Amino acid sequence: DTVQDFSLTAIGLCTIAGNVKDDQGVAVTGAQVVATGGYFSSMVQATTGDGGSFSLNINAGGVELSVSKDGYQTTNVTGILLSVWAPTFEEVVLFRRLPGNTTGTVKDSSGNPAVGANVTADTVSTTVDSSGNFLLSNVLSGPVVLSASLGQLSGNESVTVIGNQTIAAPPLTLSSPPVCSGPGRPDTPCTGPGKPDNPPCTGHTPQ
């Protein structure tokens, strides 16, 4: 009989280490580093320590890194090929989410200015003026969701805020929430305050 020796060395654990700094070259402590991929499509994570350093063990193969921390834009590093014969070292830069502004308009479903509507993005909010316009200041840069509401009317849009700039958002149009109908179910809004046990139109047809 022929004896075959299958070596698993090539898909063994590899070390990927590195440092995380901000765009000013200052070490970032407490950033979350997530590595995904490798031969077994694994996911491992670590938190940067003093000096912004991190070290992870994952199987050999193609790996991607995702590095994030509040107040910074997430950085993704792709195309990393790990080998058991040599450790890999990565220098990762996180860019601060600088504050910027976003402006836009809010109208109701009839096209009228939604005067007095509340508009929020992250933790920043403002009120729509008499012309249907709004300005949100000091919103951290990056993709954000704008949410507008006025009574039972609401609407959402996405915009990418750029630090130290004012970005025009897509127009927001407010509409009524869907209504659930069905046997034994009164026609009521599917969502809203005071309706935690009323999921959006589950088993019912939006009207």
Side-chain angles (χ1 to χ4, degrees), residues 96-102 138-141 161-167:
R96 291 184 179 274
R97 295 183 62 192
L98 299 175
N101 309 319
T102 182
N138 296 317
V139 181
L140 291 180
S141 60
V161 177
I162 300 176
N164 300 320
Q165 296 186 34
T166 298
I167 302 300

Side-chain angles (χ1 to χ4, degrees), residues 15-18 20 28-36 43-50 52-58 64-69 94:
T15 297
I16 178 169
V20 178
V28 179
T29 302
Q32 184 180 43
V33 183
V34 179
T36 55
M43 182 184 76
V44 294
Q45 59 186 13
T47 301
T48 56
D50 294 339
S53 62
F54 68 90
S55 180
L56 296 165
N57 293 320
I58 192 170
E64 296 182 1
L65 285 181
S66 178
V67 184
S68 61
K69 185 178 180 180
L94 285 181

